[in-house]
Amino acid sequence: MVDNLASASYPNPERYLPNYNPSSSSHPSTASSPSDHHYPYNQRAESDPSDHEQGVIKEQERLLPIANVGRIMKQILPPNAKISKEAKETMQECVSEFISFVTGEAADKCHKEKRKTVNGDDICWALTSLGFDDYADPLKRYLHRYREFEGERVANQTKERESSSQG
């Protein structure tokens, strides 16, 4: 699994992370450059309410809630294990960037196909195209089961409405 990911060719990280600089110790969300306005996920927003309308995203809106990240991390650890605040914050940044990375690839596909809505199939496609096949396959199976469940749920609701209107 690791060999596949290590040998896969990935697109240029600057495509999704314009402030990415592996030799820099500065945090990408604090960088400021003229191109920042085109990449709202990689910058801190000012407190001006009009910023949100201009595509600038506040830090707390850009990242997954840290409590949720911590809860997911705890699920895999033994009950007595502790997780430092730094570890939670690091994971919060990583998973938020990963989601943005995959979603950006899916959005590019939708844009090329002149569609406005990114769906689950687009996310699976993006994962595969980025070399994350080990994640795409289980997600495809989950998406299939989810759609089956939703179809059954809607069918049951329709039956209930029909039977209550007749009775």
Side-chain angles (χ1 to χ4, degrees), residues 20-149:
Y20 173 76
N21 182 354
S23 62
S24 168
S25 62
S26 68
H27 190 280
S29 65
T30 59
S32 63
S33 71
S35 65
D36 280 349
H37 296 291
H38 302 293
Y39 301 94
Y41 293 104
N42 292 323
Q43 66 187 24
R44 290 188 192 273
E46 300 298 324
S47 58
D48 183 358
S50 65
D51 282 347
H52 194 68
E53 296 165 10
Q54 296 173 0
V56 177
I57 310 271
K58 293 180 182 174
E59 186 77 3
Q60 67 264 26
E61 293 175 359
R62 184 181 73 82
L63 300 174
L64 290 174
I66 198 156
N68 294 5
V69 173
R71 201 168 18 257
I72 292 168
M73 291 172 74
K74 280 188 172 195
Q75 288 176 357
I76 196 70
L77 297 173
N80 60 343
K82 304 278 188 222
I83 305 170
S84 72
K85 181 180 178 188
E86 179 188 34
K88 290 177 190 175
E89 289 172 350
T90 301
M91 186 60 75
Q92 180 188 37
E93 284 283 341
C94 290
V95 298
S96 298
E97 286 296 336
F98 180 76
I99 290 168
S100 295
F101 181 60
V102 174
T103 303
E105 186 74 7
D108 288 350
K109 177 182 187 269
C110 291
H111 179 74
K112 287 175 188 169
E113 295 176 0
K114 297 186 179 4
R115 293 187 292 119
K116 293 183 179 182
T117 303
V118 175
N119 62 38
D121 293 320
D122 298 321
I123 298 298
C124 292
W125 176 88
L127 286 167
T128 300
S129 74
L130 293 169
F132 295 107
D133 301 51
D134 290 342
Y135 296 96
D137 293 335
L139 187 58
K140 287 175 189 173
R141 289 191 298 274
Y142 171 82
L143 190 57
H144 179 72
R145 285 194 308 263
Y146 173 80
R147 288 175 176 162
E148 284 178 344
F149 176 77

